[in-house]
Amino acid sequence: MPNFDCKKKRFSASTMCFSDMVQQDTLTLSKNSSSISSPKTDHDYNPILPGLPDDVAKYCLALVPRFNFPAMGGVSKCWRSFIKSKELITVRKLAGLLEEWLYILTIDDEGKGSHWEVIDHLGLKHHTLPPMPGPVKTGFGVVVLNGKLLVIAGYSVIDGTGSASPDVYQYDSCLDSWSKLGNMNVARYDFACAEVDGMIYAVGGYGENGVSLSCAEVYNPDSNKWTVIESIRRPRYKCFACGFAGKLYVLGGRSNFTIGNSRFVDVYTPESHTWCEMKNGCVMVTAHAVLDDKLFCIEWKNQRKLSTFNPKDNSWKMVPIPVTGSSSIGFRFGILDGKLLLFAVDAEPDYRTLLYDPKAAPGKEWQTSNIKPSGSCLCSVTIKA
């Protein structure tokens, strides 16, 4: 069990320097979260761990390996409350214990459904997620926020009738459970969504009756509410979004006011609540991911090159993809340990996943990896918790 031994040594080392971490980080934690220490004057107060101050008790809980959190959440209400809070992520980050796991939405063997499966930083498969609540949907958005996976809106067919959905569901990666969040103001599907500075933005897409949308809204996790913001200049659908340096970028897809696919990039600045445009975007993107503050894309007509966008100078760079197997293989992206994984959409059983390391020496950026989902990859997200 090399994986267990490695983790055992890692957490033992962390425990040995526990007192030092408490002394060094208590002040930092107090600034980051006003709730790190619970009041002692309340008659109903129950300590997290009897005999220990709550800030020390929270450090103790945070030192436990992540895969134990679901069971720990059933011990008491205060344990569960801490494990599901943003505070847990803060404590584990300060202690240097964040674990990176890859969540892949995979098509089932018979192609009639899908499920989320989890791969850890060593490439070992952990488990599959409980089924997503609500009706089966397509065209939904997927975003990670505070160590949690959000599945947003989408299109569902119930009793033969299709409709756009405003529903939002959240998967807590530490408690291994789903819950429902506040509904969007506008039901939509095939839209762009991304996280920027702790807020979730949703832009464009299709609405009820397939009407293309230009409206946008933002989700605040503290209030669990969506708020309508300034619309983009034109309806836009089948697009995608990403966040860079406090701004929201909306790329790709189609627009009612362009011929074919749109190369316009809509950029939203939250501070000024304004949109602006760039004209050097990409079209018909089949896969995208953000790594090291750069955007990586694959376009439908150019499956053998990575299009890399650097928001610092709004420039694009093309990176050739090595030919492996059929030259017509399409890809989906995953990110693990600072590297880009290229999962083949249709591949032979012995196909090995391509791995791109942007920090490697020239000529050594490309490798192969044994990490791959059990079926075709629809999308993936990386969660650190």
Side-chain angles (χ1 to χ4, degrees):
M1 300 289 289
N3 185 29
F4 176 81
D5 290 340
C6 176
K7 288 186 175 180
K8 183 176 179 181
K9 292 178 181 179
R10 178 184 176 194
F11 283 95
S12 296
S14 300
T15 305
M16 289 171 63
C17 61
F18 172 76
S19 59
D20 294 334
M21 288 192 296
V22 173
Q23 294 175 1
Q24 294 172 4
D25 295 331
T26 297
L27 291 176
T28 305
L29 285 167
S30 298
K31 294 178 181 179
N32 288 334
S33 174
S34 60
S35 63
I36 192 71
S37 296
S38 300
K40 301 295 190 294
T41 57
D42 192 336
H43 293 296
D44 296 328
Y45 167 70
N46 291 312
I48 295 176
L49 289 174
L52 289 178
D54 276 1
D55 55 351
V56 178
K58 289 176 180 180
Y59 258 110
C60 291
L61 296 186
L63 292 174
V64 177
R66 177 174 162 183
F67 59 81
N68 288 315
F69 287 156
M72 291 168 59
V75 172
S76 67
K77 289 183 178 180
C78 58
W79 281 34
R80 185 176 182 86
S81 177
F82 173 61
I83 291 172
K84 69 187 294 187
S85 70
K86 291 189 294 185
E87 197 176 346
L88 171 69
I89 308 298
T90 301
V91 176
R92 285 176 64 80
K93 183 177 181 180
L94 287 169
L97 297 176
L98 288 181
E99 296 176 58
E100 186 176 77
W101 288 0
L102 182 63
Y103 293 73
I104 305 175
L105 183 59
T106 304
I107 297 177
D108 294 335
D109 292 337
E110 298 180 356
K112 295 181 179 180
S114 60
H115 66 274
W116 288 93
E117 54 190 37
V118 186
I119 297 176
D120 68 14
H121 69 288
L122 297 175
L124 302 176
K125 292 182 180 178
H126 269 254
H127 61 281
T128 58
L129 271 57
M132 288 188 288
V136 176
K137 293 185 292 186
T138 61
F140 51 81
V142 176
V143 180
V144 172
L145 180 65
N146 300 323
K148 298 174 176 61
L149 166 66
L150 275 65
V151 177
I152 306 169
Y155 182 85
S156 59
V157 178
I158 302 175
D159 297 330
T161 301
S163 63
S165 170
D167 293 344
V168 182
Y169 294 97
Q170 173 181 274
Y171 171 77
D172 190 318
S173 62
C174 293
L175 292 175
D176 192 31
S177 63
W178 291 91
S179 60
K180 194 175 187 306
L181 301 182
N183 281 2
M184 303 182 75
N185 293 286
V186 179
R188 64 182 80 211
Y189 59 97
D190 288 342
F191 58 98
C193 63
E195 180 268 340
V196 180
D197 291 341
M199 308 284 272
I200 302 294
Y201 293 83
V203 182
Y206 294 109
E208 294 293 351
N209 301 316
V211 176
S212 54
L213 304 173
S214 60
C215 58
E217 50 190 305
V218 60
Y219 175 75
N220 185 333
D222 293 331
S223 63
N224 189 29
K225 290 184 178 180
W226 291 85
T227 303
V228 175
I229 61 174
E230 185 73 19
S231 299
I232 52 178
R233 292 184 59 184
R234 66 189 72 78
R236 192 164 188 168
Y237 44 92
K238 293 186 178 296
C239 45
F240 67 96
C242 52
F244 291 115
K247 295 183 179 181
L248 176 73
Y249 290 70
V250 180
L251 307 94
R254 300 179 69 96
S255 168
N256 290 355
F257 296 91
T258 58
I259 298 175
N261 295 275
S262 176
R263 286 192 178 275
F264 282 94
V265 181
D266 289 302
V267 183
Y268 181 73
T269 304
E271 290 184 357
S272 60
H273 309 288
T274 57
W275 290 95
C276 65
E277 290 182 348
M278 300 188 311
K279 296 184 179 180
N280 62 336
C282 50
V283 299
M284 297 185 70
V285 173
T286 59
H288 71 277
V290 175
L291 178 61
D292 291 339
D293 295 325
K294 292 182 180 179
L295 171 66
F296 292 83
C297 300
I298 292 182
E299 297 181 78
W300 178 66
K301 289 187 177 181
N302 200 350
Q303 296 286 306
R304 284 299 164 184
K305 287 186 178 180
L306 291 177
S307 299
T308 307
F309 175 68
N310 188 339
K312 293 182 180 179
D313 56 7
N314 296 329
S315 65
W316 289 88
K317 176 184 176 182
M318 304 298 287
V319 179
I321 299 175
V323 176
T324 57
S326 171
S327 60
S328 63
I329 287 178
F331 299 100
R332 297 289 185 269
F333 288 153
I335 295 176
L336 199 59
D337 192 27
K339 301 174 180 62
L340 190 67
L341 299 169
L342 279 68
F343 301 120
V345 175
D346 297 303
E348 298 297 326
D350 59 348
Y351 177 86
R352 299 188 68 186
T353 298
L354 284 173
L355 182 150
Y356 178 74
D357 184 355
K359 296 181 179 180
K364 297 183 179 180
E365 300 93 340
W366 290 101
Q367 304 172 32
T368 57
S369 170
N370 290 324
I371 299 174
K372 60 181 179 180
S374 60
S376 295
C377 171
L378 294 175
C379 66
S380 71
V381 295
T382 304
I383 299 180
K384 293 183 180 181

